[in-house]
Amino acid sequence: RCTWKRRPGSRVESRISGVLQMIFESLDLMAGYLRENRNFGDCLLVDVRWRHFGTVIELIFDYSWTPDGSVRAEYAPSDLRALVLRNVQELHVCNSLSEHMSLHPEELNWGLSEVASVRVLDEDRFLAKYQSLPVPFHHLRCSWEGDRTLDVVFSTLEIV
């Protein structure tokens, strides 16, 4: 269950399926939403979906936090939340697998998917080449413990 607050500069729309979605185009609003949701820290990234000819990437998280700020009980139902990134220019994944992980992939488990944080960053290294375009682009980074990262350059963030 999610409570949607309308913010200036964001749109709340309903889909045909009746699911609410919130759409952000401003870096500050995106960062605020992520902060309000603990930057998805300790949540599991359970799926990455390639959509609309690769221009839409959906990051599906099993959200770990309850409304009162505690971690969800171990056997509680999943709370799946999607960050839908539109107008994707770049997608980079760096798994940083250790020697042991590389030699024994059968031993990998859900813990590898536990995210440390999800943030939007204003980094020239990723964004400079898109400044001439008529749409502002943003950089989202999922970080895990160690050097594992997922970076996406996109223009619009939709929450489903």
Side-chain angles (χ1 to χ4, degrees):
R1 177 180 271 181
C2 209
T3 303
W4 297 99
K5 295 183 254 179
R6 179 137 166 60
R7 296 183 176 97
S10 69
R11 302 188 306 268
V12 177
E13 302 174 359
S14 66
R15 298 175 115 192
I16 294 170
S17 66
V19 175
L20 284 177
Q21 62 187 1
M22 185 176 285
I23 300 168
F24 297 106
E25 295 169 345
S26 153
L27 179 73
D28 291 337
L29 292 174
M30 290 177 205
Y33 172 81
L34 293 171
R35 268 192 314 275
E36 287 174 9
N37 287 278
R38 298 176 173 260
N39 293 97
F40 285 75
D42 298 322
C43 298
L44 302 179
L45 180 60
V46 295
D47 200 0
V48 178
R49 298 178 184 158
W50 180 270
R51 302 278 192 231
H52 198 64
F53 314 106
T55 64
V56 175
I57 301 295
E58 294 179 9
L59 305 176
I60 312 299
F61 291 89
D62 187 356
Y63 194 74
S64 301
W65 300 97
T66 64
D68 70 0
S70 59
V71 175
R72 195 178 70 224
E74 185 175 354
Y75 296 106
S78 294
D79 181 4
L80 298 180
R81 299 188 184 187
L83 301 182
V84 181
L85 307 165
R86 298 195 176 277
N87 291 333
V88 171
Q89 292 281 12
E90 299 182 31
L91 170 66
H92 304 271
V93 178
C94 178
N95 271 327
S96 292
L97 298 176
S98 68
E99 181 179 331
H100 183 82
M101 292 169 160
S102 298
L103 291 171
H104 305 283
E106 70 281 359
E107 294 179 14
L108 298 177
N109 63 32
W110 65 268
L112 190 61
S113 295
E114 188 176 324
V115 172
S117 72
V118 177
R119 300 186 188 281
V120 285
L121 308 169
D122 188 14
E123 284 190 323
D124 255 5
R125 176 171 70 107
F126 283 93
L127 302 174
K129 59 185 147 189
Y130 305 112
Q131 289 178 352
S132 65
L133 295 176
V135 176
F137 283 88
H138 311 286
H139 171 207
L140 181 131
R141 171 170 282 168
C142 293
S143 301
W144 286 261
E145 299 296 327
D147 294 328
R148 187 177 197 206
T149 57
L150 181 142
D151 293 283
V152 185
V153 175
F154 66 101
S155 69
T156 303
L157 171 64
E158 178 182 333
I159 311 299
V160 179

